[in-house]
C-alpha cells in the first residue's frame, strides 16, 4: 500500500508540474509565468539608464542621455553607429511590441496565439503582406547605403536580444510562452508594410460594385459623388495647374464587372486620419514659422510611437519614431520640421480573374497567361502547419477564390495595390532627418511610394509647404471605383502620375498650409482623384481658424489641437430640432430635447449634448440606410457628409423610407423616430452606467495590443473630443502624437502622446503621459545641441564597442 501511495504521489507531482508548465488554449503556463526566478516577478519595474554596455558591432562609443521622461538622446559619431544604437535602445524599451507587430504583418500570429488567429493570418497572407515586404527589401538592397543602415539597426536589436536571459524577457513573452527571434531587415520591411496597410486609403471597389448593381448608376452617383458641394481641399483652390503637361489616361469606357461577393477582408479603420498644419513667418506672432502634427491612430499600450533624439556630427533630429523602423518619422532637426497625415488616396483596385480548368493560367488580352503560386505555410502553435496556395497574376495576389471567401470555381479577384510596388520609404526618413531646406525635403519625398501621405514642412528660413506624396496611378476617369475585368489590358494601370505633378504647394499666399484627410484638390486638378470618404469637418474648422486673424502663436496651436467644436453636429442638429414635430414628445423625451437645444456644439467632457448627438445620429444613420442592410452582400452605406446633405436637401427621397414599415417615411419622420429611440437608449445607458456626461458616455481607453488584458490597459481616460472633431479622440483612437515646433534657431518644440516610453507594464514610464495628454498639456522636448549632459538629464548610458 505504501508503494501505491508513493507512486500516486509521484504521478500527481508530475501531473502538477506538467499542468503548471503547459499552455492550455489561451491560458498561459502558470508555473513558468509565476516562477520566482524566471517568471513575471523578474521583470524590472524601473528602467536601467546608466552605466556602460558593450555592443560588438559598434565602431565608436555612443552616448545615451535620458531625461526625466525616459526620452533617450543618442549621440553617435557616424550614421551606422547611430542606427545600431537606435535599434538597441528601441529594443530595450519596446522589444515585444516591435516584434509582435511584425508577426501581425506577416500573418504569423497563429505561431504564438494558436488556431484562434488562423483566419487573420490567412487574410494577411492573401493580402500579400509578406510579398510586399519582400519587394521593399529587394528595393532597399539595391541602395547599399540604406541597406547598411537597416542592417546596422538589426545588429543593434540583436545585440540587445543576445544579452537577455529568459528571466529578462518582456512579460508578454512569458504570458504567451515564446521567446524573441533574431531581428532581420525583413522585419523592418514588415513593420513598414504594417503601417502601409493601416493607412491604405480607399478600398470599396467590391462594395461599390454591389451598390451599383443594386441601385443603378444614377442613384449611385447621388449617394457617392466624386466631389461634395463644399470642398476646402489641401491644396488651395486658386492653384494654377497649367505646368502639368502629361495628360490623364484616356477613358476606354469599359463596363464594370457586376459580380457580388458576400464578405471582404478587414479594411483599415476609416477613423485613422490625422491633422497637420504650418504657418509662415509672416503669419506667426514671433516671426518664426510654426508647424504642428497629430496623427490619429489607435490608442494602444505600448504606444505606437517612441520618442528619441538621434544625433551625429552631421545631423541632429528629434521626434517620434516607429519601433522597428529607422530614424525620426514625425519631428524636426536644426533646420526643418515635418509631419504626416493620411492622404487616403484610392491606391487599391480589384480585378476579376478568369482561370482555365486547372487554374494554372488566367485570361489576359485574349491569351492565357501562367499564374504563379506562393505556398503560404502557416505554423499553428500546438497543431500541424496549415498550407494555403495563393495564386498571383500580373495584377497581384488573387485574394478571393474558391478557397477563400468566394464560391466561384474558375474565377477569382486579384488585388492591385501600391503597397506591393518596391519602395524605399525608409530612405525618405533617413534623408529627411538630415534635410536642411525645402529642396532637401522634396528630394527625400521622391523615394516615397506608399502609403499615400500628406507631408507638411516648415524651415528656419521661413518656408512652409505640403506635398501629397505617393506613387499614384494615372487612372482614366472612374477607374478603380468598381471591380474591373482583369482580362482587358486597358483596365491595367497604364502609367503613374509623374512625381513632380503630385499635388503640392509652397509658401501659399494665404500664409498657411494644412491637411486633415480632406480631398487633396478640387476639380481643376487634371488627374482623376476619387475617394468619397474624404473628411469634410475637421479641415474646415482648421482652415477657418487660420483665416480668422492675421497672426498665430504656439498657444493658438495648442488651442487648435484641443479644439472640441463639433461642426458636423452644428450643421445638422439645429435643422433636426427645428424640423421634427416636438408636440408629441413624452416628458422624458421633452427633457432630452430641451437639453439638446441648449448645447453649443462643443464636445467638452462634462457636456450632455455630445452624448445626445451621438446616440441620435447613430440611430438616424441606420434608419436612413436600412436599404444597405443586406445579408450575404458586401456593401457600404454612404459617408457622413452626403448623408447629412440628403437629409437636409432631399428629405422626401425614397431612401428616407423605412423598408420594413407600410408608411412612406420622410426625413422629418426619421428625425422623430430616431430621437425617440435614442432617448430610450440613453436612459437605458444612464440606468446602467450613471451620468450622461460625454466623458462617461464616450469612455475613452488605451488598450494593450493583446486584447483582453485589462490589467495592462487604461480605461475611462478623462478627455473630450470625438469623431470629425479636431481633437479627434473617440473610444480607442485619437491623437497618437501631438507635436508643435517653432522654427527658432535651433527649433523649440513641444510634444505629448497617450502612453509612455516604456513597454513594460510594471514601469512607472509605461503610461505616465496619458493624464497630461488628456488635459491638453504638452512636455518640452529637450533638444540637446551637444553631447554634454545638462540639468535635464537624469542618467547616461555609454554604448561601447568591444576592443
Amino acid at each position: 500500500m505504501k508503494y501505491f501511495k508513493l507512486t500516486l504521489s509521484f504521478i500527481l507531482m508530475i501531473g502538477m508540474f506538467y499542468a503548471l508548465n503547459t499552455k492550455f488554449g489561451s491560458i498561459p503556463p502558470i508555473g513558468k509565468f509565476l516562477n520566482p526566478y524566471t517568471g513575471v516577478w523578474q521583470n524590472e519595474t524601473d528602467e536601467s539608464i546608466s552605466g556602460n554596455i558593450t555592443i560588438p558591432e559598434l565602431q565608436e562609443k555612443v552616448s545615451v542621455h535620458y531625461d526625466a521622461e525616459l526620452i533617450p538622446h543618442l549621440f553617435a559619431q557616424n550614421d551606422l553607429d547611430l542606427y545600431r544604437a537606435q535599434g538597441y535602445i528601441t529594443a530595450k524599451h519596446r522589444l515585444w511590441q516591435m516584434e509582435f507587430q511584425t508577426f501581425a504583418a506577416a500573418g504569423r500570429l497563429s505561431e504564438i496565439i494558436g488556431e484562434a488567429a488562423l483566419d487573420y493570418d490567412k487574410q494577411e497572407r492573401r493580402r500579400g503582406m509578406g510579398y510586399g515586404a519582400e519587394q521593399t527589401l529587394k528595393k532597399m538592397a539595391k541602395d547599399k547605403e540604406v541597406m547598411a543602415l537597416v542592417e546596422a539597426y538589426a545588429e543593434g536589436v540583436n545585440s540587445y536580444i543576445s544579452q537577455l536571459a529568459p528571466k529578462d524577457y518582456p512579460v508578454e513573452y512569458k504570458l504567451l510562452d515564446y521567446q524573441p527571434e533574431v531581428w532581420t531587415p525583413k522585419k523592418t520591411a514588415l513593420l513598414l508594410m504594417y503601417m502601409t496597410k493601416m493607412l491604405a486609403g480607399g478600398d470599396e471597389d467590391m462594395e461599390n460594385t454591389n451598390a451599383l448593381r443594386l441601385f443603378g448608376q444614377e442613384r449611385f452617383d447621388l449617394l457617392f459623388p466624386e466631389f461634395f458641394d463644399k470642398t476646402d481641399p489641401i491644396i488651395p483652390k486658386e492653384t494654377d495647374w497649367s505646368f502639368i503637361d502629361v495628360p490623364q489616361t484616356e477613358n476606354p469606357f469599359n463596363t464594370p464587372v457586376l459580380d457580388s461577393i458576400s464578405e471582404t477582408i478587414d479594411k483599415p479603420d476609416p477613423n485613422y486620419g490625422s491633422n497637420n498644419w504650418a504657418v509662415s513667418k509672416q503669419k506667426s506672432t514671433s516671426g518664426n514659422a510654426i508647424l504642428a502634427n497629430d496623427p490619429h491612430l489607435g490608442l494602444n499600450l505600448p504606444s505606437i510611437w517612441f520618442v528619441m533624439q538621434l544625433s551625429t556630427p552631421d545631423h541632429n533630429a528629434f521626434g517620434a519614431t516607429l519601433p522597428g523602423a529607422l530614424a525620426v518619422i514625425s519631428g524636426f532637426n536644426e533646420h526643418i520640421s515635418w509631419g504626416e497625415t493620411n492622404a487616403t488616396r484610392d491606391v487599391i483596385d480589384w480585378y476579376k480573374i478568369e482561370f482555365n480548368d486547372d487554374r494554372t493560367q488566367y485570361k489576359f488580352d485574349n491569351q492565357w497567361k501562367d499564374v504563379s503560386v506562393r505556398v503560404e505555410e502557416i505554423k499553428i502553435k500546438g497543431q500541424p502547419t496549415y498550407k494555403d496556395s495563393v495564386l498571383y497574376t500580373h495584377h497581384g495576389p488573387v485574394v478571393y477564390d474558391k478557397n477563400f471567401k468566394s464560391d466561384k470555381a474558375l474565377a477569382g479577384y486579384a488585388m492591385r495595390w501600391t503597397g506591393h510596388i518596391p519602395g524605399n520609404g525608409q530612405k525618405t526618413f533617413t534623408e529627411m532627418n538630415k534635410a536642411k531646406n525645402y529642396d532637401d525635403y522634396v528630394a527625400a519625398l521622391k523615394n516615397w511610394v506608399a502609403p499615400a501621405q500628406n507631408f507638411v514642412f516648415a524651415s528656419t528660413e521661413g518656408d512652409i509647404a505640403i506635398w501629397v506624396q505617393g506613387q499614384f496611378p494615372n487612372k482614366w476617369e472612374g477607374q478603380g471605383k468598381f471591380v474591373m475585368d482583369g482580362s482587358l489590358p486597358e483596365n491595367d494601370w497604364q502609367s503613374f502620375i509623374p512625381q513632380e505633378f503630385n499635388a503640392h504647394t509652397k509658401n501659399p499666399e494665404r500664409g498657411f498650409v494644412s491637411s486633415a484627410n480632406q480631398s487633396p484638390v478640387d476639380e481643376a486638378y487634371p488627374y482623376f482623384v476619387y475617394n468619397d470618404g474624404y473628411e469634410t469637418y475637421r479641415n474646415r474648422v482648421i482652415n477657418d481658424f487660420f483665416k480668422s486673424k492675421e497672426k498665430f502663436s504656439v498657444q493658438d496651436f495648442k488651442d487648435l489641437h484641443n479644439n472640441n467644436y463639433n461642426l458636423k453636429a452644428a450643421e445638422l442638429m439645429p435643422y433636426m430640432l427645428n424640423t421634427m414635430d416636438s408636440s408629441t414628445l413624452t416628458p422624458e423625451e421633452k427633457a432630452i430635447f430641451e437639453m439638446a437645444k441648449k448645447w453649443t456644439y462643443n464636445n467638452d467632457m462634462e457636456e450632455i449634448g455630445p452624448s445626445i448627438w451621438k446616440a441620435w445620429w447613430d440611430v438616424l444613420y441606420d434608419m436612413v440606410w436600412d436599404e444597405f442592410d443586406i445579408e450575404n452582400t458586401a456593401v457600404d452605406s454612404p459617408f457622413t457628409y452626403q448623408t447629412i446633405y440628403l437629409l437636409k436637401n432631399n428629405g422626401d427621397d425614397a431612401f428616407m423610407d423605412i423598408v420594413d414599415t407600410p408608411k412612406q417615411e420622410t426625413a422629418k419622420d426619421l428625425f422623430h423616430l430616431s430621437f425617440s429611440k435614442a432617448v430610450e437608449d440613453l436612459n437605458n445607458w444612464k440606468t446602467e452606467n450613471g451620468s450622461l456626461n460625454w466623458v462617461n458616455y464616450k469612455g475613452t481607453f488605451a488598450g494593450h495590443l493583446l486584447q483582453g488584458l485589462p490589467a495592462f490597459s487604461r480605461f475611462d481616460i478623462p478627455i473630450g473630443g470625438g469623431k470629425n472633431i479636431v481633437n479627434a479622440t473617440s473610444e480607442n483612437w485619437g491623437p497618437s502624437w501631438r507635436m508643435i515646433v517653432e522654427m527658432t534657431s535651433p527649433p523649440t518644440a513641444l510634444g505629448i502622446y497617450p502612453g509612455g516610453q516604456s513597454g513594460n507594464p510594471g514601469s512607472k514610464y509605461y503610461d505616465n503621459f496619458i493624464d497630461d495628454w488628456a488635459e491638453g498639456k504638452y512636455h518640452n522636448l529637450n533638444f540637446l545641441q551637444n553631447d554634454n549632459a545638462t540639468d535635464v538629464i537624469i542618467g547616461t548610458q555609454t554604448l561601447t564597442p568591444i576592443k
Side-chain angles (χ1 to χ4, degrees):
M1 187 67 178
K2 66 178 180 179
Y3 295 110
F4 173 77
K5 291 181 178 180
L6 183 61
T7 303
L8 180 61
S9 299
F10 180 75
I11 292 172
L12 289 173
M13 181 182 70
I14 294 296
M16 183 66 71
F17 179 83
Y18 176 80
L20 289 174
N21 290 279
T22 303
K23 187 174 185 290
F24 297 99
S26 61
I27 303 172
I30 302 300
K32 292 181 181 179
F33 186 64
L34 298 179
N35 187 307
Y37 302 105
T38 60
V40 65
W41 315 113
Q42 290 296 313
N43 290 93
E44 57 181 322
T45 56
D46 292 309
E47 309 294 331
S48 172
I49 56 174
S50 60
N52 295 325
I53 300 170
T54 56
I55 297 181
E57 296 84 1
L58 278 182
Q59 299 171 7
E60 301 180 67
K61 77 177 182 67
V62 178
S63 298
V64 183
H65 304 299
Y66 285 95
D67 62 27
E69 293 167 344
L70 203 70
I71 294 175
H73 305 255
L74 277 58
F75 288 85
Q77 299 307 306
N78 58 77
D79 286 350
L80 286 172
D81 280 350
L82 179 69
Y83 292 118
R84 283 191 187 96
Q86 185 187 8
Y88 182 94
I89 293 299
T90 304
K92 171 181 167 59
H93 299 289
R94 298 290 189 86
L95 176 61
W96 177 80
Q97 173 197 6
M98 58 195 284
E99 186 177 60
F100 181 78
Q101 290 176 159
T102 66
F103 270 70
R108 295 181 57 198
L109 291 183
S110 296
E111 293 182 33
I112 56 177
I113 293 177
E115 190 176 16
L118 179 58
D119 286 345
Y120 172 87
D121 287 346
K122 287 168 61 178
Q123 169 184 274
E124 298 312 293
R125 303 292 183 103
R126 284 183 166 263
R127 200 193 301 267
M129 294 291 285
Y131 169 78
E134 289 163 9
Q135 303 314 300
T136 296
L137 195 60
K138 289 177 183 177
K139 182 73 172 182
M140 287 195 298
K142 294 178 180 178
D143 187 328
K144 289 187 168 66
E145 181 180 347
V146 168
M147 195 61 184
L149 299 178
V150 173
E151 289 173 342
Y153 185 95
E155 289 168 357
V157 175
N158 291 327
S159 291
Y160 178 73
I161 293 173
S162 67
Q163 296 173 7
L164 290 179
K167 68 181 181 63
D168 302 317
Y169 292 163
V171 64
E172 292 89 350
Y173 287 106
K174 297 174 180 178
L175 188 62
L176 296 172
D177 193 28
Y178 75 114
Q179 61 187 25
E181 45 178 45
V182 171
W183 190 269
T184 63
K186 184 178 179 180
K187 284 185 176 286
T188 291
L190 282 165
L191 188 279
L192 295 173
M193 278 297 295
Y194 187 73
M195 296 304 300
T196 301
K197 181 195 81 168
M198 187 182 297
L199 304 172
D203 174 18
E204 287 82 36
D205 303 23
M206 297 284 187
E207 292 81 358
N208 287 347
T209 300
N210 284 332
L212 178 67
R213 179 175 52 81
L214 291 166
F215 306 117
Q217 187 72 58
E218 182 179 352
R219 299 295 272 166
F220 180 89
D221 291 342
L222 172 69
L223 302 180
F224 303 97
E226 292 184 359
F227 287 93
F228 298 126
D229 68 320
K230 288 184 180 178
T231 303
D232 194 351
I234 294 169
I235 309 304
K237 290 183 178 182
E238 61 270 17
T239 299
D240 180 8
W241 302 109
S242 61
F243 67 94
I244 293 179
D245 57 7
V246 175
Q248 180 180 319
T249 299
E250 187 175 347
N251 194 333
F253 296 102
N254 283 335
T255 56
V257 176
L258 294 182
D259 284 5
S260 176
I261 195 166
S262 61
E263 181 187 11
T264 59
I265 57 176
D266 292 344
K267 309 292 180 65
D269 191 324
N271 298 309
Y272 288 171
S274 302
N275 304 318
N276 63 20
W277 58 77
V279 297
S280 66
K281 60 183 180 181
Q282 291 83 8
K283 207 169 178 67
S284 163
T285 56
S286 66
N288 302 303
I290 313 173
L291 177 145
N293 192 196
D294 62 304
H296 305 156
L297 298 169
L299 303 182
N300 296 322
L301 290 172
S303 168
I304 192 172
W305 302 109
F306 181 64
V307 178
M308 306 179 80
Q309 180 175 354
L310 302 173
S311 179
T312 72
D314 296 326
H315 75 279
N316 190 3
F318 197 139
T321 71
L322 283 172
L326 285 65
V328 169
I329 306 300
S330 170
F332 59 96
N333 62 27
E334 293 172 303
H335 309 283
I336 75 164
S337 56
W338 66 93
E340 304 83 27
T341 67
N342 197 9
T344 61
R345 289 285 283 271
D346 181 9
V347 292
I348 299 175
D349 286 347
W350 291 89
Y351 295 86
K352 182 180 180 180
I353 305 300
E354 180 184 345
F355 296 114
N356 65 352
D357 289 343
D358 61 1
R359 302 202 318 153
T360 59
Q361 295 181 312
Y362 67 101
K363 186 175 286 187
F364 182 74
D365 197 16
N366 293 316
Q367 301 177 52
W368 291 100
K369 293 189 61 162
D370 291 339
V371 301
S372 59
V373 182
R374 182 182 173 101
V375 179
E376 298 285 1
E377 298 188 2
I378 305 175
K379 298 177 181 177
I380 307 173
K381 192 166 190 174
Q383 295 192 31
T385 296
Y386 178 92
K387 293 185 179 181
D388 187 18
S389 295
V390 183
L391 307 182
Y392 275 71
T393 68
H394 74 283
H395 302 291
V398 178
V399 178
Y400 307 107
D401 63 14
K402 68 176 186 177
N403 296 318
F404 189 78
K405 297 184 183 294
S406 177
D407 56 3
K408 294 179 173 61
L410 295 179
Y413 302 91
M415 168 195 278
R416 181 77 163 112
W417 178 25
T418 57
H420 295 150
I421 297 174
N424 196 1
Q426 187 63 86
K427 186 171 185 175
T428 292
F429 292 111
T430 56
E431 292 300 306
M432 192 77 76
N433 282 214
K434 296 180 177 181
K436 296 182 178 179
N437 50 44
Y438 174 79
D439 290 340
D440 290 347
Y441 149 81
V442 174
L445 290 182
K446 290 180 179 179
N447 299 290
W448 190 258
V449 172
Q453 295 287 286
N454 306 306
F455 285 86
V456 71
F457 163 90
S459 73
T460 53
E461 295 174 346
D463 290 326
I464 61 172
I466 195 165
W467 275 75
V468 183
Q469 182 57 30
Q471 189 164 338
F472 302 124
N474 182 357
K475 297 185 176 186
W476 39 261
E477 199 72 18
Q479 186 176 14
K481 290 171 73 170
F482 310 107
V483 177
M484 293 178 283
D485 185 342
S487 71
L488 301 178
E490 57 266 35
N491 286 340
D492 283 8
W493 292 350
Q494 303 299 310
S495 64
F496 291 91
I497 297 173
Q499 192 274 339
E500 63 268 26
F501 299 155
N502 282 348
H504 65 277
T505 184
K506 177 187 179 186
N507 296 330
E509 185 177 345
R510 66 187 186 180
F512 72 92
V513 293
S514 76
S515 72
N517 318 117
Q518 75 266 42
S519 178
V521 291
D522 64 3
E523 295 93 328
Y525 185 64
Y527 296 111
F528 178 62
V529 174
Y530 171 73
N531 181 337
D532 69 296
Y534 282 126
E535 224 288 327
T536 48
Y537 299 102
R538 282 184 283 116
N539 66 294
R540 287 190 283 148
V541 172
I542 292 168
N543 288 357
D544 288 347
F545 180 77
F546 285 118
K547 295 171 185 174
S548 67
K549 59 182 182 177
E550 293 300 316
K551 303 273 187 181
F552 294 87
S553 66
V554 168
Q555 183 59 50
D556 289 322
F557 275 45
K558 291 180 183 180
D559 294 341
L560 185 55
H561 262 166
N562 294 278
N563 184 301
N564 286 333
Y565 183 63
N566 193 331
L567 177 61
K568 172 177 153 183
E571 290 190 342
L572 180 62
M573 197 166 176
Y575 180 81
M576 294 196 295
L577 292 169
N578 293 329
T579 303
M580 66 180 280
D581 181 6
S582 61
S583 63
T584 60
L585 295 179
T586 68
E588 284 184 334
E589 292 170 350
K590 190 70 174 176
I592 295 292
F593 185 84
E594 292 301 321
M595 290 181 195
K597 286 172 61 178
K598 294 176 182 178
W599 183 37
T600 57
Y601 304 106
N602 282 304
N603 276 36
D604 297 331
M605 285 194 297
E606 301 307 318
E607 292 277 1
I608 294 177
S611 306
I612 299 171
W613 160 253
K614 185 178 188 308
W616 194 0
W617 169 254
D618 288 348
V619 175
L620 174 63
Y621 182 87
D622 289 343
M623 281 188 178
V624 174
W625 302 124
D626 58 334
E627 292 87 351
F628 284 76
D629 186 14
I630 304 170
E631 190 174 356
N632 296 324
T633 302
V635 64
D636 284 344
S637 47
F639 283 87
T640 293
Y641 185 86
Q642 195 65 4
T643 302
I644 292 177
Y645 176 86
L646 294 174
L647 284 167
K648 294 174 70 173
N649 297 281
N650 296 56
D652 295 330
D653 189 276
F655 275 116
M656 303 299 154
D657 180 45
I658 299 175
V659 174
D660 293 334
T661 66
K663 181 182 176 182
Q664 181 78 26
E665 287 88 2
T666 66
K668 182 177 180 179
D669 298 319
L670 296 188
F671 295 156
H672 191 290
L673 291 169
S674 58
F675 183 79
S676 296
K677 180 64 169 65
V679 170
E680 179 185 347
D681 292 344
L682 285 166
N683 286 330
N684 289 338
W685 191 93
K686 184 178 180 180
T687 299
E688 295 181 8
N689 301 279
S691 168
L692 285 176
N693 290 354
W694 179 233
V695 66
N696 298 325
Y697 191 74
K698 177 160 65 85
T700 296
F701 68 95
H704 188 271
L705 280 172
L706 282 179
Q707 298 177 12
L709 287 180
F712 297 167
S713 305
R714 278 284 301 272
F715 297 95
D716 299 320
I717 298 173
I719 189 169
K723 188 176 182 180
N724 303 110
I725 292 172
V726 179
N727 178 17
T729 309
S730 191
E731 290 84 354
N732 65 333
W733 52 267
S736 61
W737 160 243
R738 290 194 184 117
M739 177 184 73
I740 300 172
V741 187
E742 184 174 4
M743 299 311 297
T744 51
S745 294
T748 51
L750 304 168
I752 192 76
Y753 66 86
Q757 288 286 93
S758 176
N760 180 1
S763 170
K764 66 182 180 181
Y765 298 106
Y766 177 67
D767 59 359
N768 57 309
F769 295 160
I770 288 181
D771 291 335
D772 284 348
W773 170 82
E775 289 184 41
K777 294 181 179 178
Y778 296 77
H779 295 168
N780 292 321
L781 300 179
N782 301 306
F783 189 29
L784 305 186
Q785 295 304 293
N786 54 60
D787 193 11
N788 297 323
T790 70
D791 56 359
V792 302
I793 299 305
I794 63 171
T796 296
Q797 282 184 330
T798 304
L799 310 183
T800 60
I802 296 176
K803 300 297 184 182

